Amino acid sequence: MKKRKQSSLTQKALQALTEAVAKAVEEHRRRGIPLAVWRNGRAISIPAEEAGALHETPPAYVTKSYGAKS
């Protein structure tokens, strides 16, 4: 049961992060402010209009258990 709660908490955290990013992108787009993103090991600025890929659904988050087996 503990594992299930962690998964649920992880999903809630990822959902909150996804919503926060979407809100930030929309705010930057509305105000015409460039976004700072990480690409190829460097931080760069891109116009908010080019941030469409940031709205895509992220891949499913997979966790691995380490340590003793249940």
Side-chain angles (χ1 to χ4, degrees):
M1 185 165 170
K2 185 176 181 182
K3 190 174 185 178
R4 186 175 184 197
K5 283 185 179 181
Q6 287 177 343
S7 177
S8 177
L9 182 59
T10 300
Q11 293 302 320
K12 287 179 182 180
L14 288 172
Q15 182 64 35
L17 181 60
T18 301
E19 290 173 8
V21 168
K23 185 177 178 181
V25 170
E26 183 57 34
E27 178 75 14
H28 280 72
R29 185 173 288 138
R30 191 174 29 231
R31 297 175 67 195
I33 301 170
L35 289 158
V37 296
W38 191 260
R39 287 202 183 146
N40 299 323
R42 298 182 66 193
I44 63 167
S45 293
I46 63 168
E49 294 78 26
E50 292 180 16
L54 297 176
H55 283 284
E56 293 177 3
T57 304
Y61 184 74
V62 179
T63 60
K64 293 183 179 181
S65 293
Y66 296 100
K69 293 184 180 181
S70 304

